[in-house]
Every structure is written in C-alpha cells, then in structure tokens.
Amino acid sequence: MRSTSLFIAFSLLSVCRLAWSQTEIDLGSVTERHEMIPMRDGNRLSAYLYFPTGSGPWPAVFEQRYADLRGASTRKAAARLAEAGYVVALVNFRGTHLSEGTWVGYRALGWGELQDGYDTCEWLAKQSWCTGNIGSFGSSQGGYAQNFLAVTQPPHLKCQYMVDTGLSLFQEGYRIGGTTRPNRFLAMAANCRNPDDNRRLMEEWFRHPNYDDYWKQEDCSLHFDKMNVPCFTIGSWYDFMNQGSIASFLGRQHHGGPNSRGKQQLVIGPWLHGGQKGNRIGDLVYPANATWPTADHMVRWFDHYLKDKDNGIEREPAVRYYVMGAVGEPDAPGNVWRSSSDWPPSRDPHIVYLQTNGGLSTTPPTLKEGSTTFGSDPLHPMQIAGTSFPGAKDARSFEQQSEVRTFTTEPLKEPIEWTGRLRAELYVSSTARDTDFIVRISDVYPDGRSVLICDYPWRARYREGFDHEALLEPGKVHKLAFDVGWISQIFNAGHRIRVTISSTGAPLYEPNPQTGGPQTIEFPKDAAKAVNTIHHNSGHSPRIIVSRTGDAK
C-alpha cells in the first residue's frame, strides 16, 4: 500500500514538473531547449540550454543544482547571460527532478567512479555549437559542485565563478560544527525523482557519525593541488559558509595547480547567503557602494577567460573586502571597500574576555570563583525562527529568552575595528554527556538594537576533532575552542560589542538530544535536559579572539 501511494505521489510530482517545465516566459531573443546529457554509466542528466541569436559557435557556461531550475527568475538570469554570447546550461544533479539515476547528493560529482560534472563539461565542449571553451558558475550548492568539478580536471574547463561556496560536506554542509540537521535534509526528498533515495542516503550518513574515509570522499579541501583554473569567489559576511568561501580562495590561491596559484580573486561583502548582492540586508540599509554587480562582473570574467578579451579583469586586486560600519549614523567609520594582495590582511589581534554578571572586556577575569549557568532542554528549546541565518537583524528576541546569556562591553569610547578570524575559547561543564554551544557576535546600537553579525554552533562531543567522539564527563570543566567565522566590522563609538551564548536555538539549529548516545535521524524519545555552565575566573579565561589565521592559539 505504501509503495502504491509513493508511486501515485511520484507520478503526480512528475506531471507537475512537466507542466511547470512547459511554462512560457519571455526570454527575449534567447532560445531555450531541454536536453538529456549522457553520463559515463548510461544515465542522463536533465539540462536546460539557452542559446543566443546567431549561428555560433559560442563558449558554454554551466551550473549544477539539485534544486528546481524552472523558476522564472532563474530562467531569465540564464537568458541574460546567454545574450552576452554564451550557451548557458542549467543542469540538475542525478536523481533530481528529470535527471536519471539515483540521488546520492554530491557524491556523483567528485573523483570516484561517477564524475557527472566532468562528463557534463566535456559533453558541452564537443557540441558543434561550442568553441570548446567552458566555464562554470553557481552559488551555494552550485559552488560546492564547482569545487568537485575542479578536482576532476576536465580538459575544456577554463575558469569558474563561485558564490557562497563550500568544500567539505561534513564540516559545512550536512553538518555544521558537528551538529546534525536531519529535519533540514529530510526535506530534500522533494527534489528527488524517487523520494526514498533521500532516506537511504541519510541512513548512510548516520552510519558514519565521525569524519572518516567516507566523508573524505566529499571533502574538496584535500585536493587543492588538482584544482587548476582561475576562479572568482564571492563570500558574504552574514553567511556561515563564508568560512568555506575564504578557505576555497586560499587553498586554490596558494596550493592549487600552476594555472590556479596566484590567479584567484575574492570579494567579501555585507550580504546574506546566496541571492543578490545588494545594499539592503536584513534590517539594515548600507550605502549604495555595498552593491556588487554579480551578473555584469561574471560576464567580464568569462569574456576574458573564454573569449580572450583583454579587459583587465585579471589585473584587479586579489582580494576586495567591505569593512562594515554602523548604518544610519552620519560620519560613522567603515562601510568602505579595501583591497589586499592576500587574505587576511595584517592587523593586530583583539581579545575580549567573558566576565561575571554579563560583562565583556579586554581584561581577563580575576575572581577566584565565577561562572554563568543556563538550562538546555531539547524538548523545549530556545527559539531562532526560520532555517536561514538571521544576520543584520535585531537579535534581542533571542537574547531575552530565559536560557540565553549575553556578555556585553561598556559603550565604546572610540571606534574599534575587528577584521580577521573569530575564535571562541570557552571553559564549560554540563550535567549531560553531550550538548551544544552556540556563540553569536552582535553590534549593539545606542538605541538597544543588537544587530547580529555572525554565529556558529559546536557539538561538545567533537571538541577534540571531528574524527572521533569524546563525551563530556558530567561536572568536569572542559575546554571548547572553535572558529566562529570571519569578520570585518568597525564598532562605532557609543556602540557596544556583545557575545551571546546558548545551547539551543531551534529551528535554525536542531537540538542535541544530550544523551551522549548515537546520533539518529529520528529524534530520540529519551532526550535529556541539562544544566550547562561557562566558567570565568582566575583559573579559566573564556575569550573571543579576533586574529589572523594561526594567531593567538
């Protein structure tokens, strides 16, 4: 009965997809065509091709996604790129939408028996309408896909353009800071031709709780030496995946192949994950200079590397980053672009220490005894609405919840700039064998708004590394140290800097059951409450460090 219901549901889904794929929209002079591109194992991937006017041949650029490709904005953006003189291919991962084969996430894109990105690239290059020069583009899932593609080294791939990308599916994809996200990825079944494929894939993930050889097959950071094309990378300050964007740039720039090293460029701006890179972000309106012309700039990048146009783009700075400042305050410092030959730029480190009674200062705690305690109940978690990071928004609705603790400086007497990597070093204890700690950084305006800049969670069982689990000893003080992210922010005079810590924040972060038992897809019935403590005294100095990579360890 269940299989019959699934068949009916799948049939209806296929009809809906077909109807949607036939929706007509005005693409101007561009011609849209559907193709099924053959892979090496005989399965075919669904691709929508967009052709400019004329007889060609043209260079081709392509994007790989598991998400739907038939939205009007997606199709119009492809048409605009085609109008610049490119054949544009939008390709769905195997097992999703109309693409054949079994859904296995990104595992068919890499360096194993299946290399769908490689096969797509080389198929495009062999078509009569193509010059043989191929580029790739895409954000988020389309960024990950490009890192996998680069490792496989298709001969006709000349350049790439990535937005908000990642490298390792264990660290910055299916997991974040070791926390699991089963509800988030159960929803991926909606993209699958066979929804049961998604469940089977997730069961496979949970059979590998730690970072092992299985996960190394989805970690592109192990293969920078095989990445050998120029790539332009866009990162966003209000995005947890900014760590992946910066790591991708650094790995390719310094450890890539000969056509990669020294030929990368990076832009980081005050934006959220994905989407347009404009100046209206969350609750904030930045000056107009915060906008990045992604579509026009991408054409310039492709024109140079795929059409041999001498437009000077390869001579532009290796790194451009936006130093954020207060908005709505005349003459506030910041909100300017800077350039650098590398990342991060050289700056003095900053260290602030968590104090008793919610203070935050540059002086280590001196009291013999001092701690901050809060509860953690996975069945009644604190609330962070939605499933996307709420950056550039007022975070007080979370900070004022009962089991959330804040540590805040006094009003600043003069502006302070933080540019570098944020690292948290905490001394914690818990009544549970395992729990999570979420660390957030905010800019507190004089009117009380606590504008969230970045946050990151960490699962305590992975405090010694992702390759093994080390459960807590209840009541014992343990050190927990992890990177929160990157930042470039000038906190204006009169503002305050705030560090917020909690152990739950659902649904954004799915709660830790706190039993110390195996991590599972279904939330266990024996989930346990915990009392968690941050110790700050003369023997334990929890702190936030802002430094260059490798500093202040």
Side-chain angles (χ1 to χ4, degrees):
M1 183 70 179
R2 182 172 178 268
S3 60
T4 301
S5 299
L6 283 174
F7 175 78
I8 294 172
F10 174 64
S11 298
L12 290 172
L13 183 62
S14 299
V15 170
C16 290
R17 284 173 177 159
L18 182 60
W20 181 246
S21 69
Q22 294 172 341
T23 301
E24 292 187 6
I25 61 173
D26 183 7
L27 299 178
S29 61
V30 170
T31 301
E32 181 184 47
R33 190 170 84 199
H34 184 250
E35 290 275 358
M36 296 296 288
I37 300 178
M39 299 293 104
R40 62 187 63 189
D41 67 340
N43 282 297
R44 301 173 302 161
L45 302 189
S46 172
Y48 294 90
L49 306 183
Y50 299 80
F51 292 87
T53 56
S55 57
W58 307 276
V61 295
F62 73 104
E63 177 184 18
Q64 297 169 281
R65 288 192 203 176
Y66 55 73
D68 178 60
L69 295 167
R70 304 306 293 153
S73 61
T74 298
R75 297 165 68 188
K76 289 180 179 180
R80 286 193 295 270
L81 181 53
E83 287 174 343
Y86 296 92
V87 176
V88 180
L90 305 181
V91 186
N92 272 132
F93 288 13
R94 68 169 51 221
T96 67
H97 303 281
L98 300 178
S99 288
E100 299 171 349
T102 300
W103 159 249
V104 290
Y106 295 81
R107 300 185 77 81
L109 303 180
W111 41 91
E113 293 182 5
L114 300 175
Q115 297 186 16
D116 289 353
Y118 180 106
D119 292 350
T120 298
C121 181
E122 294 307 292
W123 182 88
L124 291 169
K126 294 175 182 177
Q127 303 310 301
S128 60
W129 38 256
C130 184
T131 63
N133 290 336
I134 310 295
S136 63
F137 67 98
S139 69
S140 191
Q141 56 191 279
Y144 269 111
Q146 290 185 80
N147 274 322
F148 281 97
L149 175 68
V151 175
T152 66
Q153 296 186 323
H156 291 90
L157 182 69
K158 305 301 182 185
C159 67
Q160 297 181 299
Y161 200 102
M162 296 194 299
V163 182
D164 299 333
T165 190
L167 290 161
S168 171
L169 271 299
F170 185 95
Q171 279 90 347
E172 298 289 339
Y174 305 137
R175 308 266 182 102
I176 302 178
T179 64
T180 57
R181 303 194 289 164
N183 288 332
R184 162 70 175 83
F185 288 102
L186 281 170
M188 293 290 292
N191 292 297
C192 299
R193 285 173 62 107
N194 179 6
D196 286 343
D197 288 346
N198 191 64
R199 177 73 185 200
R200 283 191 288 268
L201 180 61
M202 290 186 65
E203 289 172 349
E204 193 172 271
W205 298 344
F206 279 86
R207 288 196 292 270
H208 296 270
N210 307 328
Y211 179 78
D212 56 12
D213 287 342
Y214 174 87
W215 291 109
K216 289 178 182 178
Q217 290 298 311
E218 290 186 290
D219 186 353
C220 298
S221 70
L222 304 177
H223 303 285
F224 285 126
D225 61 324
K226 295 181 181 178
M227 299 186 187
N228 196 33
V229 294
C231 180
F232 192 91
T233 302
I234 296 177
S236 303
W237 292 127
Y238 297 112
D239 177 21
F240 81 92
M241 280 179 62
N242 196 31
Q243 297 198 55
S245 298
I246 290 174
S248 182
F249 164 80
L250 290 172
R252 289 167 175 251
Q253 183 78 338
H254 297 288
H255 306 291
N259 202 37
S260 175
R261 289 192 304 272
K263 297 182 181 181
Q264 308 296 305
Q265 290 185 26
L266 172 70
V267 161
I268 318 170
W271 310 305
L272 293 165
H273 182 76
Q276 298 299 314
K277 304 307 183 184
N279 67 322
R280 294 178 177 270
I281 310 297
D283 295 339
L284 306 182
V285 180
Y286 283 93
N289 71 341
T291 299
W292 181 259
T294 305
D296 292 342
H297 185 268
M298 184 164 59
V299 169
R300 288 186 60 220
W301 187 260
F302 287 151
D303 281 352
H304 175 73
Y305 287 106
L306 302 181
K307 295 182 179 179
D308 295 323
K309 288 188 178 181
D310 184 9
N311 55 20
I313 200 167
E314 82 285 5
R315 297 187 291 275
E316 293 178 355
V319 178
R320 283 166 280 188
Y321 64 101
Y322 194 86
V323 184
M324 300 183 292
V327 302
E329 297 180 6
D331 303 320
N335 296 327
V336 295
W337 286 98
R338 292 185 190 152
S339 61
S340 175
S341 60
D342 204 353
W343 183 263
S346 179
R347 295 196 62 83
D348 293 334
H350 294 273
I351 302 177
V352 291
Y353 297 88
L354 281 59
Q355 309 287 342
T356 304
N357 300 324
L360 187 68
S361 75
T362 57
T363 304
T366 57
L367 294 175
K368 189 173 182 179
E369 299 292 336
S371 63
T372 298
T373 298
F374 51 90
S376 176
D377 183 351
L379 298 178
H380 300 91
M382 301 298 98
Q383 299 295 305
I384 302 176
T387 56
S388 299
F389 174 63
K393 291 187 176 182
D394 190 347
R396 284 178 293 182
S397 62
F398 177 68
E399 295 167 357
Q400 293 166 359
Q401 294 176 42
S402 61
E403 306 307 322
V404 179
R405 299 293 178 262
T406 60
F407 302 84
T408 311
T409 66
E410 294 295 322
L412 302 177
K413 295 181 179 179
E414 59 185 17
I416 293 179
E417 178 177 342
W418 281 10
T419 294
R421 184 190 286 278
L422 282 165
R423 184 171 179 80
E425 293 186 357
L426 307 178
Y427 295 88
V428 304
S429 63
S430 177
T431 60
R433 302 295 306 280
D434 189 32
T435 190
D436 296 343
F437 288 90
I438 304 166
V439 175
R440 315 182 105 200
I441 309 296
S442 295
D443 178 7
V444 181
Y445 278 63
D447 61 9
R449 285 175 297 147
S450 181
V451 176
L452 181 61
I453 300 173
C454 64
D455 77 358
Y456 207 73
W458 203 264
R459 187 143 290 183
R461 68 172 68 195
Y462 291 114
R463 68 189 182 281
E464 296 178 358
F466 290 126
D467 61 343
H468 69 283
E469 300 176 22
L471 296 179
L472 299 172
E473 181 180 332
K476 180 180 178 180
V477 178
H478 299 270
K479 184 176 180 180
L480 193 68
F482 58 94
D483 293 331
V484 179
W486 293 94
I487 191 172
S488 185
Q489 172 82 29
I490 297 179
F491 299 92
N492 201 10
H495 287 227
R496 294 179 292 162
I497 302 171
R498 175 168 292 165
V499 175
T500 301
I501 299 180
S502 181
S503 288
T504 57
L508 180 61
Y509 297 116
E510 297 181 33
N512 187 329
Q514 300 183 149
T515 64
Q519 304 188 100
T520 57
I521 296 175
E522 285 82 14
F523 199 75
K525 295 179 180 180
D526 62 345
K529 295 181 181 180
V531 176
N532 295 337
T533 301
I534 301 169
H535 299 265
H536 37 80
N537 48 55
S538 57
H540 303 98
S541 300
R543 59 184 184 167
I544 301 295
I545 305 164
V546 188
S547 69
R548 288 177 57 85
T549 304
D551 289 349
K553 293 295 187 185

